[in-house]
Amino acid sequence: MPPDAGGGGGYRPGYERVAEEILRLIGESGLRPGDRMPTENQLASRLGTSRTVVREAVKILSAIGRVRAQKGRGLFVANDQGMLGSSLWGSFFLPADLDHVYRLFEFRRVQEAAASRLAAVRATPADLRAIEEAAGVCREGHVTGRRELFDRGDDDFHLSVAKASQNPFLVDAVREARRLQRQSSVIGLHGTVGGHAEEAVAEHAAIHQAIRDGDAEAAARAAAVHLDQTLEDYRREIQRRVFG
């Protein structure tokens, strides 16, 4: 496993590190959703940086739903009460801590293998159509080079498989784990990751085929392979950005 880049990997802009520090400050201060945060000036002074850098960090945290800026009132901890975004988990997950990112993938591997296994047994015809359509959108995004379309199809595919498990707890877990993964891309890796898109399209097809065939163990294996390959893509990208 690569070393933790949280302390100073050269590939990370200052506002990413400050965004991570603000998340840590929220957790250490015991701030809850809805609580008022220090002002931008106070954060800059406390973190030893400029107000401009703090403002850029706050923009990132606002975009991913961790901080809410109210004009004329200040900054507040966002009222994000998702399964993994609650105060219990929110202060735990630091998206620039590589060990946390790897543990998140480990969690995703377990939950999505379970969801795929159940989907192979429980999927309705409507579920199968939704999975196939999402895989098609993802494929189209890759073929046409439209990253936003690929990402939308990817999200829809994984959520469709989770919904086909007929287990609402798995649906919530898959949704929230993917949201946290996006945080790691925005803060920890600064942008989109990777050259795994072509393989991901084929891996989606394998998962869909196993679910359609009603082969629970093949579906679980295909999901596990997909998550392992996605994690390997993250590892390669981290190595590239840290070591060049």
Side-chain angles (χ1 to χ4, degrees), residues 133-143 149-151 153-154 201 204:
E133 288 172 5
V137 170
C138 199
R139 185 187 312 108
E140 182 183 351
H142 167 60
V143 170
L149 189 63
F150 176 91
D151 288 343
D154 191 38
V201 168
H204 286 173

Side-chain angles (χ1 to χ4, degrees), residues 51-121:
R51 184 177 177 183
T52 300
V53 172
V54 168
R55 186 176 297 118
E56 291 303 308
V58 167
K59 286 180 182 177
I60 289 177
L61 295 174
S62 296
I64 60 178
R66 300 303 297 275
V67 170
R68 185 175 73 257
Q70 292 188 6
K71 190 171 182 179
R73 296 193 61 206
L75 303 176
F76 296 82
V77 180
N79 187 24
D80 185 353
Q81 288 296 316
M83 179 181 289
L84 302 181
S86 67
S87 57
L88 174 65
W89 289 90
S91 61
F92 164 77
F93 182 75
L94 295 174
D97 183 325
L98 297 184
D99 189 56
H100 284 190
V101 174
Y102 296 139
R103 294 295 176 263
L104 176 62
F105 270 99
E106 184 176 65
F107 178 61
R108 282 195 62 202
R109 190 182 194 275
V110 171
Q111 67 184 198
E112 297 207 27
S116 297
R117 180 182 287 110
L118 290 173
V121 178

Side-chain angles (χ1 to χ4, degrees), residues 133-158 178 181 192-204 226 230 233:
E133 288 172 5
V137 170
C138 199
R139 185 187 312 108
E140 182 183 351
H142 167 60
V143 170
T144 61
R146 295 165 61 190
R147 182 73 200 200
E148 75 289 348
L149 189 63
F150 176 91
D151 288 343
R152 177 159 59 83
D154 191 38
D155 267 343
D156 289 347
F157 178 83
H158 287 272
R178 287 183 62 79
Q181 184 178 313
T192 57
V193 176
H196 180 233
E198 183 173 357
E199 293 84 354
V201 168
E203 290 154 13
H204 286 173
H226 180 45
T230 304
D233 190 40

Side-chain angles (χ1 to χ4, degrees), residues 30-62:
L31 295 175
R32 310 279 294 182
D35 286 350
R36 185 187 297 274
M37 294 171 51
T39 65
E40 288 183 355
N41 283 335
Q42 290 170 333
L43 287 170
S45 176
R46 184 161 180 173
L47 299 176
T49 189
S50 70
R51 184 177 177 183
T52 300
V53 172
V54 168
R55 186 176 297 118
E56 291 303 308
V58 167
K59 286 180 182 177
I60 289 177
L61 295 174
S62 296

Side-chain angles (χ1 to χ4, degrees), residues 137-213:
V137 170
C138 199
R139 185 187 312 108
E140 182 183 351
H142 167 60
V143 170
T144 61
R146 295 165 61 190
R147 182 73 200 200
E148 75 289 348
L149 189 63
F150 176 91
D151 288 343
R152 177 159 59 83
D154 191 38
D155 267 343
D156 289 347
F157 178 83
H158 287 272
L159 285 174
S160 294
V161 171
K163 290 174 181 176
S165 76
Q166 313 305 331
N167 187 316
F169 296 100
L170 278 172
V171 175
D172 284 344
V174 168
R175 179 184 292 112
E176 291 300 319
R178 287 183 62 79
R179 187 181 63 80
L180 290 181
Q181 184 178 313
R182 282 194 294 274
Q183 288 188 28
S184 71
S185 294
V186 171
I187 294 179
L189 292 177
H190 185 47
T192 57
V193 176
H196 180 233
E198 183 173 357
E199 293 84 354
V201 168
E203 290 154 13
H204 286 173
I207 295 168
H208 172 237
Q209 179 71 47
I211 293 173
R212 188 174 60 188
D213 290 347

